[in-house]
Amino acid sequence: AAHELDTFWLRKTGKAVLAVLITRDPDGTYSYWRGLNVEVSMPTGTLCAERNAIGNALAADQGVHRKDMLAVAVLSVTVQPTNGNHDVVALNPLDPCGACMEWLKKISEVNPDFKVLTFTSTDCEQVYVTPIGDYG
């Protein structure tokens, strides 16, 4: 039997996306908050990995402020076959969607240095660091 991740949580696209939100506490300690996209076939739609990571940070520590949020790293960990053969669709680097971009721009209102990290592939050999202000 298929795992529920494939049959329920990611059934819209079959694409798992991971995000890690990086925060710095006032004492200088860094924390890392994970998020995974969740796609339930309902009118409310999808919860992207970036927003999930932000929610996880706030659920675990209500003391986290937008000014404490330094960056979010985003990586697609699956590839999809196309045309019935073994070619794959390149998903990385994967920029934030419009809804996530709105959330990230709200963070940048108090932290203009907030950045988005994306990667060329799951080997993470090439990293792109983009200040949120550089997105159109």
Side-chain angles (χ1 to χ4, degrees):
H3 186 278
E4 210 173 53
L5 186 64
D6 298 324
T7 60
F8 184 76
W9 297 110
L10 297 176
R11 69 179 167 195
K12 285 176 128 179
T13 67
K15 300 173 185 174
V17 177
L18 305 177
V20 176
L21 177 71
I22 304 160
T23 61
R24 184 174 49 224
D25 297 335
D27 69 1
T29 303
Y30 292 93
S31 296
Y32 306 90
W33 310 97
R34 297 178 293 183
L36 171 73
N37 63 311
V38 181
E39 305 166 352
V40 178
S41 294
M42 296 174 61
T44 55
T46 297
L47 175 59
C48 295
E50 299 93 315
R51 289 180 282 146
N52 198 339
I54 294 166
N56 284 337
L58 293 168
D61 181 358
Q62 293 79 46
V64 173
H65 294 271
R66 290 179 293 164
K67 66 178 177 55
D68 304 325
M69 299 178 183
L70 304 179
V72 65
V74 184
L75 178 69
S76 175
V77 294
T78 58
V79 291
Q80 298 297 310
T82 60
N83 303 325
N85 60 29
H86 297 292
D87 293 340
V88 295
V89 175
L91 300 175
N92 292 303
L94 187 60
D95 290 329
C97 71
C100 288
M101 190 59 68
E102 291 302 315
W103 280 43
L104 302 179
K105 286 181 179 178
K106 292 294 184 184
I107 293 169
S108 73
E109 289 176 356
V110 296
N111 184 357
D113 293 328
F114 186 83
K115 295 173 179 56
V116 177
L117 285 67
T118 57
F119 308 87
T120 53
S121 66
T122 54
D123 63 17
C124 299
E125 288 182 6
Q126 290 182 304
V127 179
Y128 299 101
V129 180
T130 309
I132 197 70
D134 286 0
Y135 286 98

